[in-house]
Amino acid sequence: MIVDNFVFSRRNRRPLEQDETVGRRAGMFIALGLFVAPYLLRHKLIPGSEAVWALNPVVLLTVAWLLLYMLGHKYAMSRSFGVVRSVLFAGLVLLAFSTGMSPSFLIACLLPLVLLFVVVPETIFPAFFKGFMRVLNAVMLLIAACAACDVASGFSVTKAITNFYGLDSLISMSSSGRLVSIMGHSLLTAEVALLYFALNQIASRFMGAKINQILVTLVAAAVVLLTGSRSAMVCLLCMIILAYSNAENIKYCIVIIVGLLAFYLAGLFDTVIDRIMIGIKSGDMTSSRNVQLDQLVAAGVIRYDWFTGHEFDYSNNLLIIALEYPLLRFAFSYGIAFSVLLAIYLFVLPLVQTLRGLGIVPFGLLALYFVHVNTYSSICSTQDGMLQCVIVAWLFVGVARYSAFLGISRSSEQGD
């Protein structure tokens, strides 16, 4: 961990209480923007072009307010953005403009990446993280309560939400017995459940939060199962094994296994099992993604160039299915080089920082979250997918920085 990327509180003359208030409110508003005012809801309530809603206004204004507070109160900013990150971002910007990325995609897919340059001071970050988690936990409990009502009432809540949004894709999911929440697509809901589990593990291990691990695990499992997402189910199972792999957590495993058995008896596994059986019978567990990808590559419809992209035809359903994988879609639309730089900038660097700062378990949790993100096209759309992914990576990196700062502070105190 690079020490000169820290912002030391001993140089700050602002009252600690003020920093904590600002941090808590900023974290809460960013989480509210992501989980209470998602893209579909914003677009439904106030219709507009994609460019208008491509970046979440609540999150944008909150980040701007936080940065102005930090600058206005003379916090020392990071003395080094890092040569690697700066070069990668410059390359992404150059390739985005040279390949003709549209304004809405520049706003939704490129602008959020700037967040990874921001270093939140250690006097602000704990309250910021706590405020974010407070909203995330409340939203997940609300989603879980709606899911429980769905189980008891034949998916009445899901049907009401799909009717409100009025999208054919959501209506199709609802009719097949998959949970649809305020987030919209079932995979988005499953993604929120994964980050809910992963961030609560981080909060418990490194931020001093007292978490009911059994409740968090069962809530995440119930939501993922009801979404019917096979990839999310596999990722969550691996997260649970990773998080509870040491001897101290065996007591949790027994209760969790009993809870999962109760879920099975209640029928929560039915949708996932049905989708797995359909995949086995068809010989494709990717909802025909791989089949369509192979066919379109063989037909020459999909081809990749290093520094040039191709126009993506959103009216071609087969092309959309084939390029559900984000990095492949980015490579097709903006070139292989853009996709490679993005993968290093967004996935590899935060994983390296997490591994060095927090260890193997947080590294594995973040990696599994990234695996799920890369199974569908959320981060390459003009919605909140990229923003949400960047914020999760930002939080993991922030915890790594904060944990390293605490270690440096303890070493200094022992030296004194």
Side-chain angles (χ1 to χ4, degrees):
M1 189 64 62
I2 303 174
V3 175
D4 68 358
N5 276 340
F6 296 132
V7 185
F8 292 97
S9 60
R10 68 188 63 178
R11 296 181 180 179
N12 169 41
R13 297 181 179 180
R14 304 306 304 173
L16 182 59
E17 294 80 6
Q18 183 175 337
D19 282 358
E20 291 175 346
T21 300
V22 169
R24 182 172 60 255
R25 290 176 179 174
M28 291 178 68
F29 276 111
I30 287 177
L32 286 169
L34 284 178
F35 309 123
V36 180
Y39 173 86
L40 285 182
L41 183 60
R42 301 195 306 269
H43 194 274
K44 178 68 177 180
L45 296 178
I46 310 176
S49 67
E50 286 186 339
V52 172
W53 295 121
L55 188 60
N56 194 309
V58 178
V59 175
L60 176 63
L61 292 174
T62 302
V63 171
W65 171 58
L66 179 61
L67 289 175
L68 288 173
Y69 175 82
M70 290 164 55
L71 293 171
H73 295 94
K74 299 181 180 179
Y75 275 101
M77 303 303 289
S78 171
R79 279 179 276 166
S80 170
F81 279 159
V83 175
V84 174
R85 179 171 280 119
S86 299
V87 170
L88 288 172
F89 186 75
L92 287 169
V93 172
L94 178 63
L95 289 169
F97 280 97
S98 66
T99 54
M101 183 179 284
S102 67
S104 58
F105 278 90
L106 286 171
I107 295 171
C109 298
L110 200 63
L111 186 57
L113 298 175
V114 176
L115 268 178
L116 291 175
F117 283 114
V118 177
V119 178
V120 180
E122 77 287 343
T123 55
I124 295 177
F125 184 78
F128 176 86
F129 187 89
K130 183 178 180 180
F132 185 92
M133 292 304 300
R134 182 179 297 177
V135 174
L136 173 59
N137 290 338
V139 169
M140 272 305 300
L141 289 177
L142 179 60
I143 292 176
C146 293
C149 292
D150 273 346
V151 173
S153 62
F155 284 82
S156 60
V157 178
T158 286
K159 291 175 182 177
I161 293 174
T162 54
N163 290 334
F164 171 73
Y165 283 135
L167 298 177
D168 292 338
S169 59
L170 300 186
I171 293 173
S172 175
M173 288 181 178
S174 174
S175 62
S176 63
R178 300 181 67 179
L179 176 68
V180 175
S181 72
I182 188 176
M183 301 300 299
H185 199 291
S186 297
L187 291 176
L188 286 173
T189 303
E191 181 183 333
V192 174
L194 291 179
L195 67 91
Y196 163 76
F197 178 84
L199 288 175
N200 269 292
Q201 286 291 324
I202 297 301
S204 176
R205 292 168 182 264
F206 300 99
M207 301 303 293
K210 295 181 179 179
I211 306 296
N212 187 327
Q213 302 288 2
I214 295 173
L215 176 64
V216 167
T217 304
L218 293 180
V219 166
V223 171
V224 167
L225 288 169
L226 287 172
T227 63
S229 172
R230 294 167 296 196
S231 62
M233 183 195 69
V234 172
C235 288
L236 180 61
L237 178 60
C238 292
M239 283 183 175
I240 292 172
I241 294 173
L242 184 64
Y244 299 120
S245 57
N246 59 50
E248 296 179 0
N249 292 323
I250 293 297
K251 57 183 178 181
Y252 297 124
C253 295
I254 297 173
V255 180
I256 290 169
I257 290 172
V258 172
L260 293 176
L261 178 60
F263 289 167
Y264 175 79
L265 295 175
L268 271 64
F269 281 81
D270 291 354
T271 302
V272 173
I273 293 174
D274 289 345
R275 298 190 72 233
I276 290 174
M277 296 306 298
I278 292 172
I280 293 174
K281 290 179 181 178
S282 65
D284 180 19
M285 297 293 290
T286 64
S287 300
S288 77
R289 292 182 179 91
N290 290 354
V291 173
Q292 297 298 336
L293 179 62
D294 291 341
Q295 291 178 353
L296 293 183
V297 169
V301 176
I302 294 178
R303 60 191 185 279
Y304 306 102
D305 298 305
W306 273 98
F307 299 104
T308 58
H310 307 279
E311 185 177 356
F312 192 91
D313 183 5
Y314 285 93
S315 64
N316 188 337
N317 289 329
L318 296 181
L319 184 63
I320 292 173
I321 294 172
L323 292 178
E324 272 285 301
Y325 303 113
L327 292 179
L328 290 184
R329 185 176 294 190
F330 280 125
F332 175 80
S333 300
Y334 310 111
I336 298 172
F338 181 91
S339 188
V340 170
L341 293 182
L342 178 65
I344 297 172
Y345 182 93
L346 179 58
F347 302 128
V348 176
L349 291 185
L351 282 171
V352 170
Q353 288 179 280
T354 300
L355 178 62
R356 293 175 61 187
L358 302 178
I360 190 65
V361 172
F363 167 83
L365 294 174
L366 182 59
L368 288 165
Y369 170 76
F370 283 156
V371 167
H372 176 71
V373 165
N374 278 283
T375 62
Y376 70 114
S377 59
S378 174
I379 66 171
C380 51
S381 68
T382 55
Q383 301 184 17
D384 293 336
M386 178 64 82
L387 179 63
Q388 181 169 291
C389 183
V390 168
I391 287 175
V392 173
W394 187 40
L395 288 172
F396 269 82
V397 171
V399 173
R401 286 192 176 110
Y402 181 68
S403 180
F405 170 77
L406 291 181
I408 292 173
S409 298
R410 294 191 186 101
S411 298
S412 299
E413 290 174 0
Q414 290 173 359
D416 294 340

